[in-house]
Amino acid sequence: MSRLDDIPSSPGKFKMEKSSYLHRLRFQSSLTKFAFFSFFLLCLISLLFLRSPLSINPSSPSDPSRRSLRTNSYGGPAWEKRLRSSARIRTSTTNGITVLVTGAAGFVGTHVSAALKRRGDGVIGLDNFNDYYDPSLKRARQALLERSGIFIVEGDINDVELLRKLFKIVSFTHVMHLAAQAGVRYAMENPSSYVHSNIAGFVNLLEICKSVNPQPAIVWASSSSVYGLNTKVPFSEKDKTDQPASLYAATKKAGEEIAHTYNHIYGLSLTGLRFFTVYGPWGRPDMAYFFFTKDILKGKSISIFESANHGTVARDFTYIDDIVKGCLAALDTAEKSTGSGGKKRGPAQLRVFNLGNTSPVPVSDLVRILERQLKVKAKKNLIKMPRNGDVPFTHANISLAQRELGYKPTTDLQTGLKKFVRWYLSYYSGEKKAAAR
């Protein structure tokens, strides 16, 4: 029986005592909540301060957050000439756009940048080449893009002066914001890198965008991770996203709320894209399909997660070319921002879309496809899914993206993995040959 049940509900003295008791209880509860959120906010601010570029010891060999916070030297006539050349629209149509792609040396960023350039748009990349995974892969992507005439500026999205300079030299019509600290499990090792990049970095970019004139339209990468512990499938943009299962998911959810704020106050046109398990050539080595391939070829055992009661773990694997089509469609349908001089002049577009394949596949099936493509039998180790932020399944409802963007994924997992394996064998065999020379 609770303490409240001990208090009689009769009138007079007892009723007054009950009322007074309830008032004190509510006050104590409110005070506790206030203290908790104040403490949380103080910790967040302290974390941001301690991890800011100003707090880095220049003599230390590397920043513990694994972020390249100090921007390389930039500026000068030659540097500005490269910027303007890369940003030049080369299409004969009048619909060409000039795009700043953050995270351009990343997996999705490389493919989006190349697709924009192929159709004649102006593209400038920005990437800090951090060592979350092998930087040499990012450098290889950079070389690929530079052969297409795309200049990637080496710098951090938290570098205010660099961003100001870029926007001063080039009048960007659009920003494709893909720079982020990725990965669900790594957040348990290095949480501050997620706050620094996914929250502070995003705010810093939006601060610059709201101040320039004209303001660019912004398309940015959210994540299917925001659906967290939701059990209703398929996941719809109308579903609640208030149960993140990882810090990564929480930072992406925070990004969506921040986007709403800058849209509401400053008139920025913002479109968030919730990607569902993107895979393909030039992919990320921290993704299961990538390191499964590596370990199968090396004869190492691979760990396959099982959910509760030996349940199946499944993902809505989405091929990179389909994701790129969705990104370009979002850019092409993005309306102009409505602010100027940091002030909102009218209602601005605010959108969120799922970009998935709508066909969840068990991870065990992914492994079987890889075995066939690699012609090697995998050494499998079935283990219970750890409590590290992963979720048992993802499944995208893409009806909104189909209707508004014309988005229609066309690549099934078997076809996509065949293309990935072909690239993987070619890329890493070439790497071995180069090392042997």
Side-chain angles (χ1 to χ4, degrees):
M1 184 179 290
S2 69
R3 291 178 63 185
L4 287 177
D5 293 327
D6 289 329
I7 301 175
S9 58
S10 56
K13 178 181 176 182
F14 290 110
K15 191 170 183 179
M16 292 173 63
E17 288 177 350
K18 177 181 176 183
S19 175
S20 176
Y21 173 79
L22 286 173
H23 179 74
R24 289 198 306 274
L25 194 65
R26 291 192 188 99
F27 176 76
Q28 289 170 358
S29 177
S30 299
L31 193 62
T32 301
K33 289 179 180 177
F34 176 77
F36 172 77
F37 284 112
S38 298
F39 176 74
F40 178 79
L41 186 60
L42 182 62
C43 288
L44 185 61
I45 293 172
S46 300
L47 189 63
L48 284 170
F49 176 75
L50 290 171
R51 294 293 183 180
S52 69
L54 295 177
S55 67
I56 295 175
N57 180 359
S59 63
S60 63
S62 64
D63 169 53
S65 69
R66 294 193 181 188
R67 312 301 284 171
S68 175
L69 302 183
R70 290 194 178 277
T71 296
N72 283 10
S73 59
Y74 52 82
W79 185 82
E80 292 185 13
K81 184 179 180 180
R82 291 188 71 189
L83 277 181
R84 292 192 176 94
S85 175
S86 186
R88 190 175 301 125
I89 297 172
R90 301 179 188 277
T91 178
S92 57
T93 69
T94 58
N95 299 322
I97 58 177
T98 304
V99 190
L100 172 66
V101 180
T102 69
F107 173 32
V108 178
T110 296
H111 284 273
V112 170
S113 297
L116 287 168
K117 199 67 176 179
R118 277 196 301 270
R119 70 180 199 177
D121 293 316
V123 183
I124 288 178
L126 176 64
D127 205 291
N128 67 2
F129 294 91
N130 70 72
D131 62 354
Y132 166 60
Y133 60 80
D134 183 9
S136 69
L137 179 58
K138 299 177 184 180
R139 294 298 181 184
R141 296 182 188 135
Q142 178 188 27
L144 186 73
L145 292 179
E146 287 190 343
R147 287 196 293 271
S148 318
I150 298 173
F151 179 35
I152 298 183
V153 176
E154 186 167 353
D156 196 280
I157 55 174
N158 282 285
D159 187 334
V160 178
E161 292 307 314
L162 172 58
L163 287 180
R164 282 180 182 155
K165 194 170 189 69
L166 290 175
F167 277 88
K168 183 179 179 181
I169 296 170
V170 178
S171 181
F172 294 105
T173 60
H174 294 71
V175 173
M176 186 78 217
H177 177 49
L178 298 169
Q181 175 59 61
V184 169
R185 299 165 204 163
Y186 183 58
M188 299 182 74
E189 299 176 38
N190 192 359
S192 62
S193 64
Y194 290 78
V195 177
H196 172 79
S197 183
N198 302 358
I199 297 178
F202 190 30
V203 170
N204 189 61
L205 179 65
L206 293 177
E207 279 291 304
I208 297 297
C209 289
K210 61 109 172 174
S211 302
V212 298
N213 192 17
Q215 295 174 335
I218 302 160
V219 177
W220 69 284
S222 181
S223 170
S224 62
S225 296
V226 300
Y227 291 109
L229 302 176
N230 288 11
T231 55
K232 172 186 158 293
V233 291
F235 298 149
S236 167
E237 294 91 344
K238 296 178 181 178
D239 296 340
K240 287 186 177 180
T241 51
D242 56 0
Q243 300 183 83
S246 65
L247 178 62
Y248 170 70
T251 60
K252 286 299 185 178
K253 173 60 178 175
E256 292 188 357
E257 301 303 322
I258 290 166
H260 179 277
T261 302
Y262 276 79
N263 169 269
H264 173 69
I265 297 176
Y266 301 109
L268 285 175
S269 170
L270 282 146
T271 301
L273 303 176
R274 294 173 178 172
F275 297 151
F276 280 73
T277 317
V278 190
Y279 73 100
W282 296 98
R284 278 177 25 214
D286 64 318
M287 298 291 285
Y289 72 92
F290 201 114
F291 61 74
F292 280 175
T293 299
K294 178 181 178 182
D295 290 343
I296 290 171
L297 288 172
K298 288 187 175 183
K300 294 182 179 180
S301 63
I302 60 173
S303 296
I304 302 174
F305 293 157
E306 289 183 325
S307 59
N309 301 317
H310 303 286
T312 300
V313 173
R315 291 288 181 270
D316 198 344
F317 295 101
T318 314
Y319 190 63
I320 182 62
D321 288 359
D322 292 323
I323 289 292
V324 169
K325 291 174 186 174
C327 290
L328 266 59
L331 287 168
D332 292 340
T333 58
E335 297 175 0
K336 292 182 179 180
S337 294
T338 62
S340 63
K343 293 182 180 180
K344 184 177 182 179
R345 307 296 179 184
Q349 189 180 52
L350 180 67
R351 307 180 294 175
V352 174
F353 295 107
N354 288 339
L355 294 186
N357 197 51
T358 74
S359 301
V361 177
V363 174
S364 55
D365 287 2
L366 171 121
V367 173
R368 280 193 284 272
I369 295 171
L370 286 176
E371 287 176 321
R372 288 197 298 270
Q373 294 294 335
L374 296 169
K375 297 180 175 59
V376 179
K377 190 71 176 175
K379 298 176 182 177
K380 290 168 272 194
N381 180 27
L382 298 178
I383 62 173
K384 184 179 178 181
M385 177 177 282
R387 298 178 65 87
N388 60 4
D390 274 317
V391 293
F393 57 86
T394 59
H395 185 183
N397 177 337
I398 62 169
S399 57
L400 182 62
Q402 286 176 323
R403 187 168 64 251
E404 301 291 329
L405 304 179
Y407 174 71
K408 185 179 179 181
T410 58
T411 310
D412 60 56
L413 185 60
Q414 182 154 317
T415 303
L417 283 179
K418 183 178 181 179
K419 294 179 180 180
F420 165 74
V421 168
R422 187 187 305 131
W423 168 83
Y424 184 95
L425 295 174
S426 172
Y427 178 78
Y428 285 100
S429 66
E431 191 177 72
K432 288 178 182 178
K433 288 177 183 175
R437 290 189 188 121

